[in-house]
Amino acid sequence: MSANPHFQRVALIGFGLIGGSIARAAKLQGLASEIVTTARSEKTRARVIELGIVDQVVATNAEAVKDADLVILCIPVGACGPVAQEIAPHLKPGAIISDVGSVKGAIVRDMAPHLPKTVHFVPAHPVAGTEHSGPDSGFAELFINRWCILTPPEGTDTEAVAHLRAFWAAMGAKVEVMTPDHHDLVLAITSHLPHLIAYTIVGTADELAQVTESEVIKFSAGGFRDFTRIAASDPTMWRDVFLANKEAVLEMLGTFTEDLAKLTRAIRRGDGEALFDHFTRTRAIRRGIVEIGQDSAAADFGRQHGQLEKKP
Ligand code: NAP
């Protein structure tokens, strides 16, 4: 039998894209009797009050976690260690402490030493997002059919893991459990490296813009604009991801560089067969992603195209 997804009091520390989406989804699904939240700045806290999604907005992290049965840190990876230290003395015994950080090894390293033995630490990463951030960017449907990866340290109470799993599943996520190291290696290739490539290519194009003037922007539909969406992601979040997942990203970058060299050689030698074989293989990967429901089959990501009027 699956666990009950409901919690009495949920505390969300940070109310941006992810915190705001959890609040909206949890409210919609009735997953908490009470949701209390806080954010670093007065401006964000005032906006969260205006939005009227949560039951209580408080000024400090310590107040937020008081009596909470589930605490989720929805803040940049680099801020999680200091916040864990700050909230540790105020945590309710038996509470589940979690996060949503995109890197897991560094989260366990930075948070676990501060947490009392009386709480259950179950780190999590919802593999879902957009390039937007801030309190207005969240939406209740963000996690539907997306993975949420839990990385509980060895020996974590299985009931606590099952309870958090049920909470994420009730928000529409598919949940998997793995070790932090494995998570970081998988995400390095599926998320972190693609972001690094997007940041690089958009930066390079920006330098070239001097030569091409506004043509990079004008002709961006040739593929470039799909990179610009990823490269518009939050700078703080992604700075922290690369600092925190250094080893795995460097390992994947090494493999990537070798593969790039192979394609470079094929182009230089005019080896059409090598290029064709490679592109055939990658096209099949796209089909696989669509088949398992991780993206739409619509051409050009389902973008609307204008309509041509039929000439009389
Ligand atoms: P966001 O929209 O920028 O919101 C971040 C929140 O954290 C804000 O409420 C902000 O408060 C607060 N915050 C920022 N720096 C802080 C600090 N030093 N101490 C305490 N609070 C701080 O970010 P997000 O996209 O929700 O990302 C939050 C976490 O989710 C990150 O760890 C990220 O790795 C993870 N994640 C993101 C995505 C994604 O696509 N965006 C996907 C999966 C997981 P103020 O508004 O007051 O500054």
Side-chain angles (χ1 to χ4, degrees):
M1 203 181 77
S2 56
N4 183 347
H6 186 268
F7 284 87
Q8 199 57 35
R9 185 175 159 105
V10 173
L12 300 173
I13 298 188
F15 198 99
L17 173 69
I18 303 297
S21 296
I22 295 173
R24 288 168 172 95
K27 269 288 163 205
L28 208 64
Q29 296 300 310
L31 302 179
S33 302
E34 191 186 14
I35 300 181
V36 53
T37 193
T38 186
R40 180 179 51 166
S41 67
E42 178 62 46
K43 188 171 167 236
T44 300
R45 294 197 297 270
R47 180 61 189 144
V48 180
I49 293 172
E50 270 172 20
L51 288 169
I53 300 160
V54 301
D55 302 286
Q56 236 195 101
V57 180
V58 295
T60 67
N61 296 334
E63 269 178 272
V65 303
K66 192 171 173 288
D67 295 327
D69 306 285
L70 171 63
V71 175
I72 310 180
L73 271 55
C74 307
I75 58 179
V77 168
C80 287
V83 170
Q85 185 170 20
E86 186 193 340
I87 61 174
H90 310 282
L91 295 171
K92 177 179 163 181
I96 295 176
I97 315 306
S98 190
D99 74 306
V100 292
S102 309
V103 178
K104 297 277 52 103
I107 288 285
V108 174
R109 183 197 66 207
D110 296 348
M111 286 183 66
H114 300 297
L115 299 175
K117 296 239 174 320
T118 51
V119 301
H120 307 292
F121 180 37
V122 188
H125 175 208
V127 188
T130 74
E131 66 279 28
H132 298 299
S133 44
D136 288 276
S137 60
F139 52 100
E141 300 76 20
L142 179 63
F143 309 114
I144 295 176
N145 208 21
R146 296 285 166 259
W147 286 101
C148 181
I149 300 171
L150 307 184
T151 64
E154 243 182 75
T156 306
D157 179 48
T158 51
E159 269 183 38
V161 177
H163 198 171
L164 191 66
R165 175 190 274 270
F167 179 80
W168 276 104
M171 292 192 290
K174 302 186 284 184
V175 185
E176 193 152 307
V177 173
M178 60 177 76
T179 66
D181 285 354
H182 189 68
H183 166 278
D184 288 354
L185 200 63
V186 171
L187 269 290
I189 186 67
T190 56
S191 170
H192 306 169
L193 197 59
H195 275 80
L196 192 70
I197 292 165
Y199 281 125
T200 312
I201 202 163
V202 175
T204 307
D206 184 47
E207 279 160 33
L208 282 178
Q210 309 265 336
V211 185
T212 59
E213 293 176 349
S214 60
E215 286 176 325
V216 171
I217 306 294
K218 183 171 156 189
F219 296 113
S220 64
F224 179 70
R225 71 177 174 189
D226 291 339
F227 284 104
T228 62
R229 186 191 72 73
I230 298 177
S233 300
D234 188 66
T236 307
M237 167 184 162
W238 284 96
R239 177 203 61 198
D240 284 8
V241 166
F242 291 116
L243 294 179
N245 200 22
K246 183 174 160 180
E247 304 299 331
V249 170
L250 290 179
E251 191 178 327
M252 289 303 163
L253 204 51
T255 309
F256 173 79
T257 311
E258 284 169 24
D259 290 344
L260 188 63
K262 276 186 217 156
L263 285 182
T264 310
R265 203 176 322 122
I267 294 169
R268 192 180 299 118
R269 291 179 179 168
D271 187 349
E273 199 180 320
L275 294 174
F276 186 84
D277 287 350
H278 188 92
F279 302 157
T280 305
R281 198 153 52 87
T282 55
R283 184 178 232 191
I285 290 170
R286 171 71 193 166
R287 280 202 204 104
I289 289 169
V290 170
E291 272 164 28
I292 61 165
Q294 290 293 299
D295 205 355
S296 149
D300 197 20
F301 299 119
R303 285 186 180 105
Q304 292 298 315
H305 291 263
Q307 282 204 325
L308 276 181
E309 293 290 322
K310 195 169 187 289
K311 287 268 186 231

